[in-house]
């Protein structure tokens, strides 16, 4: 696998080599040019100085006879060679002493620097120097024919070569440092990505407790944080899935054990198949049916698959209808039902079947938890808002208050959770599945509403359902 760090490293290497190479090459080029310019200016000034001295000499002496003695003193360095020719072109002075008496025209030296006194040419100066790989000498200084840049003498060329090679060495060192620093930074930058990739494969292997440790404060740090919170939520939903399966298995086992025990007892002749035994089997079968129905409803509404059939609903009529259905059960238990709906209540948009299910669950709980002689009061009212319960829109509130045993504060916060039972054994023996309030909460939330409960142990409980009034 070609890793990201190799790719980044390769790209970096290319950039460093190209940019440092280009920079060193261009710097070399411009250094050579600048240096030649500098040498050219030096030569021009030198030639000018020598010319001035020579014309002074000629002015004093009136001839070039003793020039050879002076010429040696005018040399700047051992690489230079000065040649003086008189006005007829015959060489009268040569620091090398080789060409004395020769004709400059014959030697092809026709373009020297004029030496003149009062505008009258008295001779010519030739400034030559020995150059690299060429012992013969070249013209330099002013008036060098055919060459815009002067040839450099050996010392100058060596100096330039040293500078240029220093530039290449500096370029190479800079490139090496840039590469090392770049590779280090690349590794640093790709470290969080490697950590994330390790994390992802751990999660894929089912290790949901794994968390990525990245302390950088940049986008990768944010990504790691989102990754960790995604894993946390995955972990939570996995745990809740496992808990749900365990809860369902537990809830199914109890009625099934009763049914199995009773049926086995009847088969073995231990129990008579009388009404009491068969009634118990029937009761447990009904509980199983209810449990499965409740689970189906809950999973539908929780997964968002429940399609509400919304229609304008008169909530008071619906409550009345529901009360008449449970009236008999309440009367049998000796519980008094009371409706309090004096206000003008607007129709609201609800799925009346689902709202009936909500009321059925709340009323059946209230009847179940209220002792004989107790009272259940159902009230319907409207509010414009209720910040204490985060109700910001006008809503219809249905409250069901009983005078039952009440719910202890430590249970009150949990009663809307799946399979939560305050009074464990009794609730089940009374036909509760532990899903009633969870269904109520999900159904009401699907309507855009809210549920909450208030309770005082020994005094009773009140359950509230708030449903928003929507403009129709
Ligand atoms: P269950 O099927 O067990 O009634 P619910 O979800 O309807 O399940 O209720 C959860 C728990 O809340 C019940 O087991 C009970 O302890 C408590 N509860 C619900 N309604 C009332 C009430 N009106 N009075 C007292 N406790 C209640």
């Amino acid at each position: 696998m070609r890793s990201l760090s190799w790719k980044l490293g390769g790209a970096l290497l290319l950039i460093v080599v190209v940019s440092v190479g280009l920079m060193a090459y261009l710097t070399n080029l411009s250094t050579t040019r600048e240096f030649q310019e500098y040498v050219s200016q030096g030569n021009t000034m030198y030639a000018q100085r020598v010319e001035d001295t020579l014309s002074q000499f000629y002015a004093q002496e009136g001839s070039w006879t003793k020039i050879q003695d002076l010429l040696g003193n005018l040399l700047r360095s051992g690489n230079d060679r000065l040649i003086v020719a008189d006005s007829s072109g015959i060489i009268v002075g040569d620091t090398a002493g080789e060409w004395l008496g020769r004709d400059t025209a014959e030697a092809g030296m026709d373009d020297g620097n004029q030496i003149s006194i009062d505008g009258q040419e008295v001779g010519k100066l030739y400034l030559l120097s020995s150059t690299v790989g060429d012992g013969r000498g070249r013209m330099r200084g002013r008036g060098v024919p055919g060459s815009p840049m002067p040839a450099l003498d050996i010392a100058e060329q060596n100096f330039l070569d040293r500078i240029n090679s220093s530039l290449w060495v500096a370029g190479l060192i800079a490139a090496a440092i840039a590469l090392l620093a770049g590779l280090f930074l690349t590794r640093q930058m790709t470290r969080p990505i490697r950590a994330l990739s390790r994390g992802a494969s751990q999660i894929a292997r089912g290790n949901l407790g794994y968390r990525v440790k990245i302390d950088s404060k940049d986008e990768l740090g944010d990504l790691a944080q989102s990754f960790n919170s995604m894993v946390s939520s995955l972990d939570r939903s996995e745990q809740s899935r496992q808990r749900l399966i365990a809860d369902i298995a537990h809830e199914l086992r109890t009625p099934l054990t009763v049914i199995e025990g009773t049926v086995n007892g009847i088969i073995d002749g231990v129990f008579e198949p009388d009404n009491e035994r068969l009634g118990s089997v029937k009761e447990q079968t009904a509980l199983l049916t209810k449990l499965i129905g409740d689970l189906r409803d809950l999973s539908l509404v929780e997964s968002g698959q429940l399609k509400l059939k919304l229609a304008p609903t008169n909530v008071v009529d619906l409550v009345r209808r529901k009360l008449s259905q449970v009236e008999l059960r309440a009367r049998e238990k000796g519980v008094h039902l009371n409706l309090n709906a004096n206000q003008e209540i607007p129709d609201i948009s609800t799925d009346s079947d689902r709202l009936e299910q909500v009321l059925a669950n709340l009323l059946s709980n209230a009847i179940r938890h209220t002792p004989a002689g107790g009272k259940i009061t159902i009230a319907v009212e409207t509010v414009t808002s209720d910040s204490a319960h985060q109700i910001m829109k006008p809503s219809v509130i249905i409250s069901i208050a009983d005078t039952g045993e009440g719910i202890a504060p430590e249970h009150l916060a949990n009663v809307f959770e799946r399979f939560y039972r305050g009074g464990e054994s009794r609730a089940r023996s009374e036909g509760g599945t532990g899903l009633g309030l969870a269904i109520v909460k999900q159904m009401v939330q699907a309507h855009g509403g809210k549920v909450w409960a208030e309770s005082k142990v020994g005094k009773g409980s009140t359950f509230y359902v708030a449903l928003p009034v929507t403009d129709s």
Side-chain angles (χ1 to χ4, degrees), residues 290 294 361-362 364-370 400 402 404-407 411 414-424 426-428 431-440 455 460-463:
K290 183 169 179 347
D294 281 359
N361 284 356
L362 291 174
S364 106
N365 275 352
I367 295 170
R368 203 184 317 147
H369 292 282
T370 305
I400 296 160
D402 63 51
E405 80 252 18
I407 306 166
H411 295 311
N414 303 315
V415 288
F416 290 101
E417 278 175 26
R418 287 185 302 225
F419 296 120
Y420 190 86
R421 290 198 182 93
E424 169 72 26
R426 201 188 53 225
R428 188 181 285 127
T433 60
L435 292 173
L437 288 180
I439 291 174
V440 165
S455 187
S461 316
T462 307
F463 284 81

Side-chain angles (χ1 to χ4, degrees), residues 15 60 74 80 91 97 168 170 204 210 217 250 304 313 317 350 372 395:
I15 292 169
Q60 275 174 17
L74 296 177
D80 285 329
I91 294 174
W168 278 112
Y210 191 89
K217 303 262 177 291
H250 178 79
T313 313
D317 285 353
T350 71
S395 300

Side-chain angles (χ1 to χ4, degrees), residues 197-468:
S197 150
R198 265 197 310 277
S201 46
Q202 284 289 334
I203 304 307
R205 265 184 239 132
N207 181 4
L208 293 179
Y210 191 89
R211 295 291 178 276
V212 176
K213 287 185 202 72
I214 295 177
D215 347 293
S216 56
K217 303 262 177 291
D218 52 13
E219 288 86 347
L220 286 173
D222 291 349
L223 181 63
Q225 231 166 31
S226 315
F227 180 88
N228 283 343
S229 47
M230 182 191 77
V231 177
S232 299
S233 102
L234 206 63
D235 197 13
R236 273 197 304 276
S237 57
E238 176 59 18
Q239 279 175 15
S240 104
R241 190 184 67 87
Q242 286 172 359
R243 220 174 24 242
L244 180 64
I245 291 174
D247 284 345
I248 292 172
H250 178 79
E251 294 303 319
L252 291 175
R253 196 178 310 124
T254 314
L256 281 174
T257 312
V258 176
I259 294 169
E260 195 183 19
T262 313
V263 172
N264 279 343
I266 292 172
I267 291 170
D268 295 346
V270 181
F271 301 140
E272 283 298 314
D274 55 16
N275 274 353
E276 188 195 338
R277 300 291 168 194
L278 291 177
S280 148
V281 170
K282 188 183 166 206
E283 207 176 87
Q284 295 303 320
T285 320
L287 179 60
L288 279 176
T289 310
K290 183 169 179 347
L291 185 65
I292 287 163
D294 281 359
L295 276 171
R296 198 206 55 216
D297 285 350
L298 197 59
S299 83
L300 274 180
V301 68
E302 276 187 350
S303 63
Q305 285 176 15
L306 183 83
K307 296 273 172 291
L308 293 178
K309 294 185 200 103
L310 295 175
T313 313
N314 185 313
V315 178
V316 180
D317 285 353
L318 192 135
V319 170
R320 271 206 191 97
R321 209 164 52 236
K322 204 70 227 166
L323 280 177
S324 68
Q325 285 170 15
V326 297
E327 204 175 354
L328 184 64
R329 207 169 358 135
R331 204 182 308 146
E332 276 172 5
K333 216 187 157 189
V335 174
H336 184 69
L337 293 179
N338 184 25
L339 174 64
N340 188 353
N342 303 325
Q343 260 186 29
E344 184 70 34
I345 306 295
D347 283 3
I348 55 169
S349 178
T350 71
D351 181 331
S352 53
D353 288 348
R354 298 301 172 184
L355 190 55
E356 270 193 42
Q357 196 179 353
V358 165
L359 290 175
N361 284 356
L362 291 174
L363 284 170
S364 106
N365 275 352
I367 295 170
R368 203 184 317 147
H369 292 282
T370 305
K375 193 171 75 177
I376 298 171
T377 307
I378 300 99
V380 185
E381 56 177 341
T382 51
V383 293
T384 44
S385 67
D386 178 358
S387 52
H389 298 103
Q390 282 117 41
I391 296 170
M392 304 305 168
K393 295 183 206 161
S395 300
V396 171
I397 296 187
I398 308 164
S399 59
I400 296 160
D402 63 51
T403 56
E405 80 252 18
I407 306 166
E410 66 270 23
H411 295 311
L412 192 60
N414 303 315
V415 288
F416 290 101
E417 278 175 26
R418 287 185 302 225
F419 296 120
Y420 190 86
R421 290 198 182 93
E424 169 72 26
S425 53
R426 201 188 53 225
R428 188 181 285 127
S429 69
E430 287 172 354
T433 60
L435 292 173
L437 288 180
I439 291 174
V440 165
K441 184 180 169 188
Q442 294 292 337
M443 295 279 185
V444 173
Q445 283 182 350
H447 279 85
K450 287 209 160 59
V451 280
W452 68 96
E454 290 166 1
S455 187
K456 266 205 178 112
V457 177
K459 295 262 183 225
S461 316
T462 307
F463 284 81
Y464 297 89
V465 172
L467 296 163

